Amino acid sequence: MPRDMIDDMQVTVLPALEQTILGVVLIDENNTVTFFNRAAERLWHCARQDVIGRNVNVLVPRNIRSTHDDLIRHNRETGINKIVGTSREVLVERLDGTSFWANLSLSRIAVDGKIGYMALIRDISQEVDDREKIRLLSLVVRETDRGVAILDPEFRIIYVNRAFSDMFGFGPERVTGHGLSVILAGDTTDIGILNKLHEGARNARGFTLEIRARHASGRDIWVSAAMNPVFSESGEVENIVVVLTDITEQHFLDSLQRDTLEAISSDLSLHEVMDFICRRIEHYIPDVMPAIYLVEKDEHLKCKGRASLPLSLVKLYDTLPIGDGAACSGIAAATGNVTECPDIAHDPRWQHLREQTLHNGIKAARATPIILRNNRIAGVFTCYSRTDALPDAACQKAVATSLHLCTLAIERHEAKEHINRLSDFDLLTSLPNRRWLRQNMARMLRRHVRGNLMLLTVGVDNFKHINDVFGHTAGDELIAYIAGQLREVLTIDDTLVRSGGDQFTIVTNGEQQHASSLSATILRVLSTPTHIGAVPVSLSASLGVAVHPENGEDGDTLLKNAETAMFQAKANGGGHCCFFSPRMNQQASDRLILAAALRDAITHDRLRLFYQPQVHARSGQLYGVEALSRWIDPSLGFVSPARFITVAEETGQIEAIGKWSLRAACMQMAQWMRDGVDVPVVSVNLSPLHFRDETLPEFVDKLLNETGIPPQRLTIEITEITMIDNYERTIRVAQKLREMGVGMSMDDFGTGFSSLSNLAGLPVNEVKIDRSFMTGLESIEKVRAVVMAVVRIGQSLGMTVVAEGVEHEEQRRLLADMDCDVLQGYMFSKPLPAEELAAWFSAYQPDGLVTGKGKGAEASPHRNG
């Protein structure tokens, strides 16, 4: 290149090349770098002085450096240009070892026979990366098994991938330009689906929806459609990307399981459930005919479920025993292994079944054993194939899901049958039970008998107390013993039934004298002492007799009337027999009426509390009051406590009355405190039922907090029978109440099962002498001795002793001389409503009650101390 030309280039061209954003590299005829502009420095991360004057190989990737000079020489000598004058993408390696993608353009410069080159380089690394990402994304969309559709803002399809076409059987030309309705099932639900799609597509977070779609072949398929909108910078929807997953198989399996479980729980028969499973599978996989066989007791298989399997084949297969003779199904039932037959036409195991099987279009079969949780083989699930191939993977999955459902259905069926058997017989005595009796009474009434058919109901007296004291195990042993004793006295024509917990019913026939004789025999046999463990126990029973047809023309009426007579015998003291009379029915009806009225009274707050004062025996000062329930019914008038409390205990309403009494008494005490009426304490009676509830202390604590009265102002009275009714639990509840500061009083002491020595272990601070002792206090020395003993022992244990039923001055004087602490009775006041008690208290003068004995009221222990 002439010197003047080079000078001209340096003056005019090189400054322009220095300013260009493209990297520019010039090499001379010796391949030496003569120019390296600022853009080139930035691209190679080096300074020009590191390059100028060096062979161009320093800029060439290492893998081609050894051949690079030869390539350039060949170009110079031959003039054949493969890259000169063209643009190409190359990976450029920098001096520090890093690399970048570049667009390279080479120009050949020939001056005076000398040939040099100019390279223009542009960094396209980002373009290459973007293009690679696009390529990979395109690869994903093209090769994924998920159907992909891209919609325009008007929800028209503008692109679908190959998987979409495979999924629905539609090519792009069939769906492009259409909405998604082109793939929907074409029923009335489609409008709702499309509305959801359109609404959801405007949600920036996208959403997923299950859709029932239609394949080009006409079959329904289920897809999960994930809708993801693409928004422009202005927030407008540009496109919607829809990714579709075929969930037909899973949807079928889920619906099969859900619907079968519903069928099982709806009490369909086992046969109906099995048929349902087979029909669903055959509808989903038309190439198979499913059948479900169960193992019978005679070691044969019995078809319990099928769809289109011909009845002629069912009858043929049902005759075969388990084993090789029943081909696939029999072998699977015998071995517990899946058994396959891919070619029935040539399988020797089907020799005796082949002709009819092939005639009905069955060519292959697979049998899967149904194994219960106890590892018992209960049956076989067999799929017969209409094609030359075994049932496919989809069928195997359906069978796998169905095996669990079959297990549930079989176990539920067997459990129901077992329960049905148990429901007719008593496990403890093996006797027929009440359900059996009611179901069979009509048949027994139709039977021709000598004389009259009669029902004798036997009830054990005081069985509950025996059960509570000795425990339920001992109670069960006693019931079994009684059942054995009753069997001994009956004839083969009599029927013995356990008709209740401690109740038996005998169906017999003859004249009424026979019933009387049989009853006497039963009473005598059961009165013979027996033992519970090492403890001798004397039993007694009450019997009720109802005679057909005088006492009832149907079984239910006869049974009810026999029981009514038995309860009447119990009410009369027990230990004897009572024949039914219409008067008993009237009494039972009256009790039902009373129970209903009591329930209504509790609901509408018609009960009232009256309060009877309790006074110190010597000073006459008020000690407290006892709250007593009273009921005046609008229709029945005054109902005595003895009457309605008994009904309340029998009907389970006593617990509600007790809690109502506690609340009413505490509220009244709070009112007295506000009004300045100095009532020291109020006592409330509770039944044994309340002490079975271990949350009673929590109820009382909450009640005290609500009303604001101190716990020392409340005493809870319990009877001796409460203490033996689940002794440990009662003690726990009573102890918690005492720890709260609430007083505990033992009511009616001396009338139950306790002894004086038991008092020491009980969490009570007060003992009440029953009013029955007041009758003989003045005249019977032994009565006075018992009362004196109660007073002495009670006081020695730090308890306050209260005497109930004091009506005369002589009784008061005797009790005061015995140092009894507190007196209660009509001598001081009858039970009064709260407002009358306040007036009584204002007018009450205690001075006249003080005797000259010398022990003042201050000597009495504190009520709740």
Side-chain angles (χ1 to χ4, degrees), residues 50-76:
D50 296 332
V51 177
I52 293 177
R54 299 178 65 181
N55 189 286
V56 73
N57 272 351
V58 72
L59 303 176
V60 173
R62 288 182 175 84
N63 62 329
I64 63 170
R65 285 178 185 176
S66 60
T67 60
H68 188 258
D69 283 351
D70 290 339
L71 289 173
I72 296 177
R73 180 181 55 77
H74 180 73
N75 185 272
R76 284 193 181 99

Side-chain angles (χ1 to χ4, degrees), residues 159-348:
Y159 170 82
V160 295
N161 68 347
R162 184 176 59 205
F164 181 98
S165 298
D166 293 341
M167 188 178 296
F168 297 103
F170 298 127
E173 69 284 352
R174 173 77 178 274
V175 297
T176 302
H178 295 280
L180 281 178
S181 59
V182 71
I183 64 169
L184 296 182
D187 57 24
T188 55
T189 63
D190 287 356
I191 294 176
I193 292 294
L194 289 173
N195 289 337
K196 288 182 180 179
L197 291 173
H198 290 180
E199 292 170 6
R202 295 181 173 86
N203 185 341
R205 292 174 298 179
F207 74 105
T208 302
L209 188 67
E210 289 189 4
I211 301 173
R212 185 164 68 94
R214 183 68 53 81
H215 190 271
S217 64
R219 64 181 175 87
D220 287 347
I221 59 174
W222 282 89
V223 295
S224 174
M227 308 283 291
N228 295 283
V230 179
F231 295 92
S232 65
E233 293 182 358
S234 62
E236 297 295 324
V237 175
E238 286 188 336
N239 293 103
I240 301 100
V241 179
V242 185
V243 179
L244 299 144
T245 305
D246 189 339
I247 59 169
T248 305
E249 182 178 273
Q250 191 58 49
H251 185 274
F252 166 73
L253 296 177
D254 290 345
S255 65
L256 173 65
Q257 178 161 290
R258 182 186 63 250
D259 295 344
T260 304
L261 288 174
E262 185 176 338
I264 293 172
S265 63
S266 64
D267 280 337
L268 291 179
S269 69
L270 181 63
H271 181 77
E272 290 171 321
V273 172
M274 298 304 191
D275 276 352
F276 175 80
I277 293 173
C278 291
R279 287 196 302 270
R280 288 293 292 270
I281 292 178
E282 187 166 323
H283 178 75
Y284 176 63
I285 310 171
D287 289 338
V288 300
M289 286 188 283
I292 300 172
Y293 301 93
L294 296 188
V295 177
E296 297 286 287
K297 291 181 180 179
D298 61 357
E299 294 300 307
H300 281 69
L301 291 175
K302 180 75 173 178
C303 184
K304 289 292 184 180
R306 66 188 180 96
S308 63
L309 185 69
L311 187 59
S312 60
L313 285 183
V314 170
K315 292 179 179 178
L316 174 64
Y317 296 161
D318 277 353
T319 63
L320 302 173
I322 292 173
D324 291 344
C328 291
S329 302
I331 296 171
T335 64
N337 298 320
V338 176
T339 305
E340 297 179 342
C341 179
D343 185 8
I344 291 176
H346 300 92
D347 192 323

Side-chain angles (χ1 to χ4, degrees), residues 615-622 841 843-851:
V615 301
H616 288 283
R618 292 193 175 278
S619 70
Q621 297 291 331
L622 184 65
F841 186 63
Y844 176 61
Q845 298 295 328
D847 295 343
L849 296 175
V850 180
T851 71

Side-chain angles (χ1 to χ4, degrees), residues 747-818:
D747 193 16
D748 300 338
F749 188 79
T751 62
F753 294 90
S754 297
S755 65
L756 295 174
S757 60
N758 286 342
L759 282 173
L762 302 177
V764 297
N765 59 290
E766 179 182 288
V767 59
K768 300 185 78 173
I769 302 172
D770 186 64
R771 67 184 65 249
S772 62
F773 288 99
M774 294 302 105
T775 303
L777 183 66
E778 301 161 75
S779 58
I780 303 174
E781 184 64 32
K782 288 184 179 180
V783 172
R784 286 197 297 273
V786 171
V787 173
M788 175 68 77
V790 174
V791 172
R792 292 289 179 265
I793 293 178
Q795 290 179 347
S796 71
L797 294 173
M799 299 179 183
T800 300
V801 180
V802 180
E804 294 183 299
V806 179
E807 299 183 358
H808 309 297
E809 173 62 25
E810 182 62 18
Q811 292 171 340
R812 184 206 64 76
R813 186 190 62 76
L814 287 170
L815 290 166
D817 289 342
M818 292 178 190

